[in-house]
Amino acid sequence: MRIKGSFIYTLKTGENALILLTENKIDQDKLYHYLTVDAYRFKKEIVQEEPGIELISAGYKNEKDEVIWNHEYIPVPKWYDQN
């Protein structure tokens, strides 16, 4: 699975979510599962580099070039817990 891009989405609550884009729906599901189960080190690095990111998710662009992503966001560790 390859990451094809990313963007930051601000929720109505004011929280920032990093959305990682893959090539297709199958890879999106794989990445989302990985982020949920086994990506603590990756999430820890994100908050050290971008402390304003509170959540993360995975998505992809469909054949109409629309971005689709999982709206069940995965929390990342709080930046202040890392210091």
Side-chain angles (χ1 to χ4, degrees):
M1 125 186 59
R2 291 176 46 196
I3 303 298
K4 300 282 289 186
S6 66
F7 68 95
I8 296 173
Y9 179 75
T10 303
L11 282 68
K12 291 179 183 178
T13 60
E15 294 173 297
N16 291 318
L18 176 64
I19 312 301
L20 301 173
L21 300 176
T22 63
E23 294 186 72
N24 54 51
K25 172 74 172 138
I26 292 170
D27 285 347
Q28 176 214 356
D29 291 340
K30 289 178 185 176
L31 177 59
Y32 185 84
H33 184 281
Y34 171 73
L35 292 170
T36 303
V37 175
D38 192 30
Y40 182 78
R41 182 174 168 190
F42 174 71
K43 292 184 279 189
K44 184 177 174 182
E45 288 177 16
I46 287 174
V47 297
Q48 289 173 343
E49 297 297 321
E50 294 291 334
I53 301 294
E54 292 99 358
L55 305 163
I56 193 167
S57 190
Y60 68 100
K61 284 189 178 181
N62 66 15
E63 59 281 342
K64 297 179 184 177
D65 210 31
E66 300 167 324
V67 177
I68 310 294
W69 72 90
N70 191 321
H71 292 264
E72 293 183 32
Y73 301 102
I74 302 162
V76 296
K78 303 296 182 201
W79 63 269
Y80 48 78
D81 291 338
Q82 306 303 311
N83 295 323

